[in-house]
């Protein structure tokens, strides 16, 4: 059901990205023609958000039409210049 999907997604976001990231997201199921789609809107964060995956953390940056994973040095530089 849609409720189960939204609850599952909220749980994943909360545990993988954290409560701050979750508070910056708006999630909705929309009808488009004959199909339902899941729409996720994300507002910019005032602080860095890390992906937590099996005791490893990753930092991604959106660049144009792609999402890029940054190494430690690039992450530090990006955070210093953006936050």
């Amino acid at each position: 059901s849609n409720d189960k999907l939204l609850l599952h997604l909220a749980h994943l976001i909360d545990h993988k990205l954290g409560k701050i990231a979750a508070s910056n997201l708006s999630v909705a199921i929309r009808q488009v023609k004959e199909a339902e789609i899941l729409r996720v809107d994300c507002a910019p964060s005032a602080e860095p958000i890390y992906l937590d995956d099996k005791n490893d953390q990753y930092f991604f940056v959106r660049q144009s039409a792609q999402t890029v994973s940054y190494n430690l040095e690039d992450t530090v530089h990006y955070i210093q210049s953006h936050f």
Side-chain angles (χ1 to χ4, degrees):
S1 76
N2 288 347
D3 286 341
K4 284 184 181 181
L5 172 65
L6 293 174
L7 285 171
H8 179 67
L9 181 60
H11 175 78
L12 285 175
I13 292 168
D14 189 47
H15 284 80
K16 295 292 185 178
L17 298 174
K19 293 183 186 323
I20 294 171
S23 70
N24 289 332
L25 296 180
S26 172
V27 180
I29 295 175
R30 301 279 188 237
Q31 189 75 31
V32 176
K33 296 185 181 179
E34 297 174 9
E36 289 183 320
I37 63 163
L38 177 68
R39 178 177 174 155
V40 179
D41 292 303
C42 181
S45 176
E47 61 186 74
I49 303 292
Y50 302 92
L51 171 64
D52 189 1
D53 184 40
K54 297 179 184 175
N55 299 324
D56 288 325
Q57 288 189 331
Y58 301 92
F59 185 75
F60 295 91
V61 174
R62 189 74 179 156
Q63 295 177 345
S64 299
Q66 64 179 345
T67 302
V68 179
S69 177
Y70 276 24
N71 63 30
L72 182 59
E73 181 180 352
D74 291 337
T75 298
V76 169
H77 182 266
Y78 182 89
I79 290 170
Q80 288 174 339
S81 64
H82 286 82
F83 295 99

